[in-house]
Amino acid sequence: MPTYTLKINKKSVNVTADADTPLLWVLRDELNMVGTKFGCGISQCGACTVHADGTAIRSCQLQVSMAQDIEITTIEGLSEKGDHPLQQAWKEVDVPQCGYCQAGQIMTAASFLKDNPNPTEQEIREAMHGNLCRCASYNRIEKAVAIAAEKMS
């Protein structure tokens, strides 16, 4: 198996994996970064969302061989102390019930707010619609994104 050098959370790491191994499994199984979750494996739910060069992507669909020249950020790398405004807003609003989708939700929201720091309610709803929440906490998720936007401005 080939070895790949990846830049994850501002650190260079070497991993040995088949070329077509999804980045999700490299993060979870090889690097023990379990904040990124497996949800569906077909890029439909958003639980596996990470940033690739600052843009939210589904890690279940990015092959490790394609990730070598990309700056990958996981939920573990979003903030060193877990105090990103989105993480603070998530706590403030008490968003999660089961929590399974929350890392993907936060990573999607972080990428969205980077590009749109002053969103409307409708823009937030549209940006977050591709992330599924089994507990249907959508209203609280949208509220937390709005609060984070205010904190970040």
Side-chain angles (χ1 to χ4, degrees):
M1 278 192 281
T3 298
Y4 299 97
T5 301
L6 306 176
K7 190 166 186 183
I8 301 174
N9 299 332
K10 300 182 181 172
K11 295 178 183 170
S12 188
V13 295
N14 292 318
V15 295
T16 301
D18 288 326
D20 61 351
T21 302
L23 177 63
L24 169 66
W25 298 119
V26 170
L27 293 172
R28 292 184 59 80
D29 295 346
E30 302 299 322
L31 301 174
N32 199 33
M33 299 176 123
V34 295
T36 304
K37 305 294 188 216
F38 171 77
C40 66
I42 58 172
S43 195
Q44 296 296 305
C45 73
C48 69
T49 302
V50 299
H51 293 174
D53 293 332
T55 301
I57 63 144
R58 307 296 210 240
S59 65
C60 70
Q61 295 298 302
L62 180 64
Q63 296 177 351
V64 67
S65 59
M66 304 300 290
Q68 290 189 101
D69 298 321
I70 299 172
E71 173 65 42
I72 302 295
T73 305
T74 67
I75 190 70
E76 292 92 347
L78 187 62
S79 166
E80 285 184 29
K81 297 179 183 177
D83 59 356
H84 186 280
L86 279 160
Q87 292 167 312
Q88 292 174 336
W90 243 248
K91 291 176 192 172
E92 185 178 325
V93 178
D94 196 22
V95 171
Q97 287 184 34
C98 80
Y100 197 84
C101 71
Q102 299 310 302
Q105 299 274 4
I106 289 170
M107 295 305 285
T108 297
S111 178
F112 166 65
L113 291 178
K114 178 182 63 93
D115 295 333
N116 186 350
N118 190 24
T120 65
E121 286 182 31
Q122 185 61 33
E123 289 170 330
I124 292 170
R125 183 169 286 121
E126 289 171 10
M128 301 304 296
H129 86 277
N131 285 68
L132 302 181
C133 175
R134 296 171 181 173
C135 303
S137 296
Y138 298 111
N139 291 335
R140 288 185 296 198
I141 290 166
E142 292 167 8
K143 182 177 180 181
V145 174
I147 289 170
E150 290 176 20
K151 291 176 183 275
M152 294 168 75
S153 62

